[in-house]
Amino acid sequence: MKEKFYITTPIYYPSRKFTLGNCYTTVICDAVSRFNKILDKDVFFMTGTDEHGQKIAQAAKDAGMTEMQYLDGMIADAKDLWALLKIEYDKFIRTTDDYHVKSAQKIFRDLYDKGYIYKSSYQGKYCVPCESFWTESQLIEGKCPDCNRDVIDQEEEAYFFKLSEFGDKLLDLYEKNPEFLKPQSRVNEMVTNFIKPGLSDLCVTRTSVKWGIPVDFDPKHTIYVWIDALSNYITGLGYGTEDDSNYKKYWPANVHIIGKEIVRFHAIIWPAILMALDIPLPKRIFGHGWMLFGGDKLSKSKTVASCECTDPRILIPRYSSDAVRYILLREIPFGSDGNYTTELFLNRINSDLANNYGNLVSRTFSMLKKYKGSIVPSFDESTEEEIDKELKEVVAKSIVDTKNYIESNFDVSKALSSVFDIFSKANKYIEVTEPYRLAKDETKSSRLNTVLRNLLESIRIGTIMLSAFLPDCSKKVLDSLHIQNYSYSDVETFYYLNEGDSVDELGILFPRLDVQKELETLAEIQKQV
Ligand code: ME8
């Protein structure tokens, strides 16, 4: 039986169109999911949308639509974006889906029946026009952070979850299970900032928010976002419904990958809810850092210079989904914050995709055509030199390292960099072995064969690993080599291609860009949007 692997993104708020920041987490999860498929695991990858709450109701109102009209449009747009980015999810959950609503209600009722939820009253700062409660710390200079108007002290009846009972259990969890929350810095943050000072019970319903899932035994209350949202990770598998086969098969999740600002909800509230329900905990929560745009988490136009383009709907059609996936996966050290600029993106396309990988493939394929009629040549290990061993060592190291980076820490950035070690080394191998010179000397024919074969096999191995990260260009290269189905065991054999097979021609994978000109064109395009 195949090993199971269940991975999730956060479910995003569709109160605005998804940004490059949402693409960041989703592409990481997609790459990890694809990589695990290559490792021959039985993978389930879920993403979706978090569709309740005041913000969504307001956005729909502003757009002059009903909530569902508004949401259906936003979700169609989100799915188009994921298709453009080649995101291969197994399930897209919407928290307005029927099965989710019923199952979230059951979760709430079970928590109530077990005595973990009780009725009391909620006191907070209330903005009457926005119909929103705020905590003291959310106010900006004492006023509503949304509309900047005065707030009043208000009390409303509400249900509370006994989060305060879980402090010690959570400390115990982090201590006994150091893999549960990564990176380690996030554990320190949870312990010092939240658990040690003492957890308060959590308000989990609102009577003032109408756009939410009603508590089935007290319907004037709606379930306040976090119980609704977090439970998606199990309701999406069918938990609490008639068909819970996916829940039985895939839960507990191998990992929830999320941004660092929602670690508190995932590493404190979610395990507490699961413990209360006697449900096993996810194996790992990874809180990654932020992609920063001009120092800001959101690509708001006011903080980003006019030559900056952060709209994936412009970038993907213009530069390919692979190019956008590449910058997202590679540029930001996984776990930390990192800056994105359009110039950096364009330079990466040139240096890594066009000059390194693209150039390697195009040089190798054109030499193969010129000297060997595009036929996979034989190899003769007796003609091998030191540089051949070095190349094979780099390949062997990358095979081990890439898998380790993904399996031990989901570190897509290091994994991708390790795959590119093969391409850099193979380009150097061409410089050192000079196949164009060998071709001029008939006595070197066998050596030329070996050199070209070693290049082809290095490209094959690197490209199979690359296919988890950049599926489109890898498919083109693997198609030329007539490789359709593959798994990680195929990269572990260096000589794998059949001698005498033909290799199909391949166009340019990544055209080189004039960065300055592109920046100007993007600025123009943005002016028109
Ligand atoms: O928080 N850099 O939804 P959300 C990196 N609905 N990641 C970014 C990013 C950036 N600049 N901007 C967004 C919610 N993200 C809740 C989640 S889960 C049960 C409920 C990513 O639409 C990152 O994953 O605000 C972050 O956690 C998520 O988008 C926030 O999405």
Side-chain angles (χ1 to χ4, degrees):
M1 240 214 339
K2 285 187 178 188
E3 194 182 325
K4 310 273 183 287
F5 187 81
Y6 174 35
I7 179 168
T8 63
T9 70
I11 48 168
Y12 307 110
Y13 292 125
S15 47
R16 58 183 160 89
K17 285 195 169 185
F18 289 1
T19 62
L20 210 49
N22 302 121
C23 294
Y24 178 70
T25 318
T26 312
V27 167
I28 289 171
C29 291
D30 184 66
V32 173
S33 154
R34 285 174 185 264
F35 200 90
N36 277 282
K37 282 183 190 160
I38 301 173
L39 290 174
D40 217 18
K41 294 188 196 169
D42 177 353
V43 177
F44 196 85
F45 166 28
M46 189 164 79
T47 188
T49 39
D50 188 355
E51 303 191 0
H52 293 119
Q54 197 54 38
K55 269 217 168 107
I56 304 282
Q58 190 60 46
K61 202 170 159 198
D62 293 346
M65 296 181 195
T66 65
E67 285 88 353
M68 281 320 286
Q69 279 169 342
Y70 171 79
L71 286 167
D72 286 347
M74 294 303 279
I75 277 46
D77 182 80
K79 286 187 175 172
D80 285 349
L81 178 60
W82 294 157
L84 265 184
L85 251 189
K86 305 294 152 74
I87 304 296
E88 245 180 24
Y89 50 80
D90 296 290
K91 168 104 189 164
F92 190 107
I93 183 171
R94 299 181 54 174
T95 54
T96 50
D97 286 339
D98 245 16
Y99 64 85
H100 172 82
V101 171
K102 290 203 183 90
S103 181
Q105 285 175 324
K106 176 178 154 40
I107 288 170
F108 191 95
R109 203 179 332 119
D110 287 349
L111 290 169
Y112 182 78
D113 290 344
K114 284 171 181 265
Y116 286 105
I117 282 181
Y118 62 91
K119 203 183 219 175
S120 176
S121 77
Y122 176 78
Q123 289 169 335
K125 303 286 176 190
Y126 189 71
C127 174
V128 180
C130 294
E131 296 176 24
S132 297
F133 270 102
W134 302 103
T135 60
E136 194 77 54
S137 63
Q138 287 172 318
L139 301 180
I140 297 176
E141 292 172 1
K143 302 204 186 242
C144 170
D146 269 1
C147 71
N148 199 32
R149 278 180 278 216
D150 287 334
V151 290
I152 54 169
D153 288 313
Q154 178 110 334
E155 211 176 311
E156 73 173 37
E157 185 186 275
Y159 286 89
F160 283 77
F161 173 64
K162 287 186 184 167
L163 189 62
S164 58
E165 289 192 1
F166 289 89
D168 288 342
K169 290 184 187 123
L170 290 166
L171 289 177
D172 199 48
L173 165 70
Y174 300 159
E175 200 177 288
K176 293 212 175 104
N177 192 350
E179 293 300 304
F180 179 72
L181 176 58
K182 289 276 170 178
Q184 179 61 31
S185 55
R186 312 268 182 249
V187 177
N188 306 339
E189 214 178 292
M190 291 305 112
V191 173
T192 321
N193 297 353
F194 302 109
I195 302 179
K196 282 278 159 72
L199 295 169
S200 314
D201 288 350
L202 185 75
C203 180
V204 287
T205 60
R206 289 286 192 273
T207 51
S208 52
V209 177
K210 301 290 171 231
W211 183 244
I213 299 179
V215 174
D216 55 3
F217 55 87
D218 195 353
K220 74 171 187 289
H221 292 265
T222 55
I223 302 176
Y224 191 55
V225 290
W226 285 99
I227 287 196
D228 168 9
L230 289 163
S231 61
N232 94 86
Y233 297 127
I234 53 177
T235 64
L237 296 177
Y239 173 83
T241 70
E242 267 168 33
D243 180 7
D244 62 357
S245 52
N246 274 338
Y247 171 73
K248 290 197 176 115
K249 188 169 170 192
Y250 293 108
W251 190 258
N254 292 72
V255 64
H256 298 314
I257 294 188
I258 53 169
K260 64 179 182 181
E261 80 290 357
I262 53 176
V263 166
R264 179 160 74 95
F265 304 100
H266 286 77
I268 294 180
I269 300 175
W270 182 224
I273 293 173
L274 291 170
M275 284 177 197
L277 292 168
D278 268 326
I279 291 179
L281 306 186
K283 292 184 188 149
R284 180 85 68 89
I285 287 162
F286 197 103
H288 64 63
W290 286 341
M291 239 182 127
L292 300 173
F293 308 90
D296 199 297
K297 175 176 171 262
L298 289 177
S299 49
K300 287 182 203 138
S301 48
K302 70 174 163 55
T303 56
V304 176
S306 64
C307 61
E308 289 297 338
C309 179
T310 57
D311 185 348
R313 294 159 195 85
I314 295 176
L315 297 174
I316 300 168
R318 190 166 177 86
Y319 302 107
S320 78
S321 59
D322 281 343
V324 173
R325 289 173 67 105
Y326 186 75
I327 190 83
L328 296 174
L329 292 165
R330 178 70 192 271
E331 193 56 42
I332 296 159
F334 192 53
S336 319
D337 293 352
N339 269 313
Y340 168 90
T341 67
T342 315
E343 194 171 347
L344 224 115
F345 168 58
L346 298 170
N347 282 331
R348 277 283 192 187
I349 296 180
N350 277 349
S351 64
D352 298 9
L353 299 180
N355 294 349
N356 191 347
Y357 181 59
N359 196 28
L360 170 69
V361 173
S362 112
R363 283 205 286 178
T364 304
F365 278 42
S366 67
M367 287 191 292
L368 190 73
K369 184 178 174 205
K370 195 160 162 200
Y371 308 136
K372 302 289 161 191
S374 293
I375 297 296
V376 175
S378 59
F379 63 93
D380 176 357
E381 276 173 299
S382 73
T383 70
E384 284 203 333
E385 297 171 6
E386 194 51 34
I387 184 74
D388 299 55
K389 276 197 207 120
E390 283 176 25
L391 174 68
K392 288 182 181 175
E393 271 164 25
V394 169
V395 171
K397 183 170 182 324
S398 167
I399 292 169
V400 174
D401 287 354
T402 307
K403 179 166 177 273
N404 266 345
Y405 285 131
I406 295 288
E407 286 206 309
S408 64
N409 226 11
F410 315 103
D411 193 332
V412 285
S413 169
K414 286 208 178 111
L416 197 45
S417 156
S418 151
V419 173
F420 269 72
D421 287 346
I422 297 183
F423 306 139
S424 306
K425 186 68 187 180
N427 271 316
K428 278 208 194 95
Y429 182 77
I430 297 180
E431 307 308 324
V432 175
T433 55
E434 299 184 304
Y436 22 86
R437 260 180 209 266
L438 297 173
K440 289 190 187 133
D441 181 347
E442 269 197 11
T443 65
K444 299 280 169 56
S445 167
S446 171
R447 174 68 185 146
L448 177 62
N449 281 346
T450 306
V451 165
L452 290 175
R453 180 66 181 270
N454 286 349
L455 283 169
L456 270 184
E457 298 286 5
S458 304
I459 289 174
R460 175 186 66 84
I461 292 169
T463 305
I464 286 181
M465 295 197 282
L466 188 69
S467 68
F469 307 91
L470 312 185
D472 277 0
C473 63
S474 328
K475 181 167 180 344
K476 284 186 197 153
V477 174
L478 293 174
D479 279 352
S480 309
L481 295 171
H482 305 288
I483 296 174
Q484 256 91 39
N485 299 313
Y486 49 88
S487 75
Y488 218 67
S489 55
D490 301 338
V491 302
E492 282 151 2
T493 315
F494 190 82
Y495 291 113
Y496 179 92
L497 295 164
N498 290 321
E499 189 184 318
D501 276 1
S502 65
V503 171
D504 293 343
E505 274 190 55
L506 196 63
I508 289 176
L509 291 176
F510 296 97
R512 246 174 235 113
L513 305 169
D514 177 337
V515 172
Q516 215 41 50
K517 216 165 123 200
E518 285 305 315
L519 286 172
E520 285 160 22
T521 312
L522 285 171
E524 273 311 306
I525 295 175
Q526 293 204 105
K527 265 192 219 154
Q528 288 156 22
V529 178

